Amino acid sequence: MPTEELTESPNLGALYLKAAGTAPLRRAGRDAGLPDTEYVRSGITVDRDHLAEYNRLCGFGTRDELPITYPHITSFPLAVRLMTDRDFPFPLVGLVHVANRITRYHHVLVTDPMTQRVRLANPRRHPKGRQFDVITETSVGDRLVWTETSTYLRRSGSDESAPRPEGVSEVAAGTPTATWRLPANLGRRYAAVSGDRNPIHLSPLTAKAFGFPRTIAHGMWSKARCLATFEGRLPEACSVEVEFAKPVLLPSRVDFTERPGGSGKLFALHSASGKPHLKGRWSSEPE
């Protein structure tokens, strides 16, 4: 696998412009392969002001340890770089983030310099198109501390013969643990913190251009907000898996529900009418 070391974080603004300009050229078929490049960036440090804004927006408190979802923020530009490279087969805009699994082996302190490695893997058929994974490994020194698998779907017609992914157990709507009212500007605020400026999150006009009645919340904000409710209860070594279902339209009200499940918890987000937005589970047994 070719490995390329980056000395600074890729410029997301430039990458999004590149994605828009090259989208018409990416016409991959069902058997399209993925580039095997791995990007590596070392010496990643955390800006405390940025972390504080992320914590406020997602509901985390101030601690010496990074929130379990925060390394996703620092690795995201590497992932976008991979998905805008010339040999990546799909347009970036239009990819659907359908699932995310994070495994934490050790706490990462705000003072720890990180090394992150990002690659693409596991292209496969899906009943609605093609799926693939973005794999991230985060190390502090020589110790692996955190991994992530983000699964994306490229819709390209139905394929009923494709295997259906195994799902996270359902948590039924009703009797929520908490109810959150989400403001209309949540997508813009999280985009500013995360760098994920997909137009479906930024304004009603750009969201409507992609088929949504109004802006939608980021899936990784939803995951982070759910996990903030478990702050202080998540063990140091744990795995957290979520699947994203119906998009969260903004503004809206969502219901959060948690239930016991195995060595951890099952949890879910539903709309006020009971439609599922997210289902997840965390376990004290890292996968």
Side-chain angles (χ1 to χ4, degrees):
M1 174 181 292
T3 297
E4 184 175 341
E5 184 101 25
L6 303 181
T7 58
E8 60 184 11
S9 181
N11 184 314
L12 282 171
L15 291 177
Y16 279 120
L17 286 175
K18 178 182 178 181
T22 60
L25 306 177
R26 301 179 192 266
R27 297 288 187 228
R30 285 192 173 274
D31 297 323
L34 297 173
D36 59 357
T37 302
E38 178 182 64
Y39 285 126
V40 181
R41 184 171 171 237
S42 301
I44 300 169
T45 57
V46 174
D47 180 282
R48 289 180 180 271
D49 291 338
H50 181 270
L51 175 62
E53 180 59 27
Y54 178 86
N55 287 342
R56 282 192 294 269
L57 189 59
C58 299
F60 293 105
T62 301
R63 303 168 66 92
D64 291 334
E65 302 87 14
L66 296 184
I68 190 171
T69 49
Y70 190 79
H72 172 87
I73 301 297
T74 53
S75 66
F76 183 69
L78 301 179
V80 176
R81 170 78 180 265
L82 280 171
M83 292 188 286
T84 53
D85 280 351
R86 179 177 298 179
D87 50 355
F88 182 71
F90 309 118
L92 179 65
V93 176
L95 292 178
V96 182
H97 193 185
V98 293
N100 179 273
R101 184 177 74 247
I102 289 172
T103 298
R104 182 175 66 191
Y105 302 99
H106 304 281
H107 284 305
V108 182
L109 300 180
V110 68
T111 53
D112 286 335
M114 297 178 287
T115 296
Q116 294 192 300
R117 314 178 73 93
V118 183
R119 66 184 187 275
L120 305 174
N122 199 19
R124 57 201 185 272
R125 296 161 58 214
H126 182 276
K128 295 182 180 180
R130 295 281 291 172
Q131 279 190 333
F132 66 92
D133 297 328
V134 179
I135 309 293
T136 303
E137 296 178 347
T138 300
S139 301
V140 174
D142 295 329
R143 184 169 68 170
L144 181 66
V145 295
W146 186 96
T147 62
E148 177 186 47
T149 300
S150 285
T151 301
Y152 290 87
L153 169 66
R154 170 61 178 173
R155 296 182 187 275
S156 58
S158 62
D159 181 3
E160 293 303 322
S161 66
R164 294 187 176 275
E166 294 185 11
V168 177
S169 299
E170 297 280 355
V171 175
T175 318
T177 308
T179 295
W180 304 322
R181 296 191 179 277
L182 311 184
N185 67 351
L186 177 61
R188 294 193 298 275
R189 292 174 63 197
Y190 187 80
V193 169
S194 67
D196 185 352
R197 291 183 170 84
N198 188 317
I200 61 179
H201 304 300
L202 301 181
S203 79
L205 287 177
T206 54
K208 285 178 181 177
F210 290 91
F212 297 97
R214 52 188 193 271
T215 53
I216 67 173
H218 294 71
M220 288 304 293
W221 177 88
S222 299
K223 179 173 184 175
R225 184 64 187 89
C226 289
L227 292 178
T229 68
F230 298 112
E231 194 168 30
R233 292 188 283 163
L234 281 179
E236 179 176 11
C238 60
S239 290
V240 186
E241 181 179 5
V242 301
E243 295 174 6
F244 305 112
K246 301 285 186 182
V248 178
L249 298 175
L250 299 172
S252 66
R253 192 199 88 187
V254 293
D255 292 334
F256 169 78
T257 307
E258 63 172 274
R259 299 279 188 271
S263 63
K265 292 281 189 179
L266 301 173
F267 56 93
L269 277 185
H270 291 90
S271 69
S273 63
K275 294 180 180 178
H277 293 305
L278 173 154
K279 59 179 180 177
R281 64 184 173 202
W282 67 259
S283 169
S284 58
E285 300 171 357
E287 299 178 4

